[in-house]
Amino acid sequence: RPMAHTLESFVARCRSFLSADPGPAGCQNICDLLCDALKDPAVIAATIDPNGPERHILYEDPDFGFTVLSHSYKGAKNAPPHDHGPTWAIYGQATGTTIMTDWAPIERATADKPGTCRHVRDYELTPGMAYLYNPGELHSPRRDDSTCLIRIEGINVARIKRFPYIAVADRAA
């Protein structure tokens, strides 16, 4: 039932969505498209090498700047709370499970000082799910075992400066 996807057709549809609406609605359309693509085992086989690198660029758009990546994580891996600077990111789970945590900023990070944030909620991303993080939305992935995903960044985050966040415990009542 899922529509056949190639990287080229996927990218063309992403470009079309961003041309029509470069904001959150266009990004949500890309997220929905990624959910559909992740239902096709041929897409996963064609785009993700389970023995590949943790971060592999599949496509970087010369006009819009969005970047499609595959990620192959071996064993457990955690990341601290972060945002994607001025851009958005979509995490699409291909294999395994990612426990994602959402964080609320207490104080935003600057070039001079790490930001602080508090825990909001935890939820699982399982195969076939994709989730959009708009600019400034803090999150942290935890993987307790090997996982593979397709991630789309609004801008290749390797090219931008991002600032760290520190989680602070909620004060007891």
Side-chain angles (χ1 to χ4, degrees):
R1 163 128 172 103
M3 190 177 107
H5 294 274
T6 63
L7 183 58
E8 293 75 18
S9 68
F10 182 86
V11 163
R13 294 200 55 205
C14 291
R15 290 176 55 84
S16 172
F17 292 143
L18 292 174
S19 290
D21 185 341
C27 295
Q28 187 59 54
N29 286 337
I30 293 172
C31 187
D32 295 343
L33 179 66
L34 182 55
C35 278
D36 185 51
L38 289 166
K39 293 180 176 99
D40 185 346
V43 168
I44 294 168
T47 55
I48 301 174
D49 176 356
N51 299 308
E54 283 192 2
R55 178 182 169 91
H56 175 70
I57 295 175
L58 298 169
Y59 175 82
E60 191 168 352
D61 193 81
D63 301 316
F64 292 96
F66 70 90
T67 305
V68 181
L69 307 107
S70 67
H71 295 277
S72 296
Y73 296 105
K74 292 290 168 221
K77 178 132 181 142
N78 299 335
H82 64 276
D83 62 16
H84 292 265
T87 194
W88 51 270
I90 299 168
Y91 288 68
Q93 196 74 30
T95 66
T97 299
T98 298
I99 294 90
M100 195 64 82
T101 300
D102 287 347
W103 301 88
I106 296 169
E107 188 174 347
R108 285 288 179 183
T110 66
D112 302 320
K113 188 169 129 189
T116 55
C117 57
R118 68 173 174 76
H119 178 267
V120 175
R121 70 181 181 122
D122 298 322
Y123 49 98
E124 288 187 348
L125 296 181
T126 56
M129 293 178 72
Y131 200 93
L132 167 64
Y133 297 92
N134 286 302
E137 291 183 343
L138 298 172
H139 55 281
S140 62
R142 185 181 93 227
R143 299 168 187 98
D144 296 333
D145 205 346
S146 298
T147 58
C148 292
L149 51 141
I150 296 174
R151 204 161 57 86
I152 305 168
E153 301 168 340
I155 302 168
N156 181 343
V157 299
R159 302 181 193 278
I160 60 177
K161 179 71 175 152
R162 298 188 297 161
F163 304 113
Y165 279 84
I166 298 167
V168 297
D170 289 331
R171 300 200 192 291

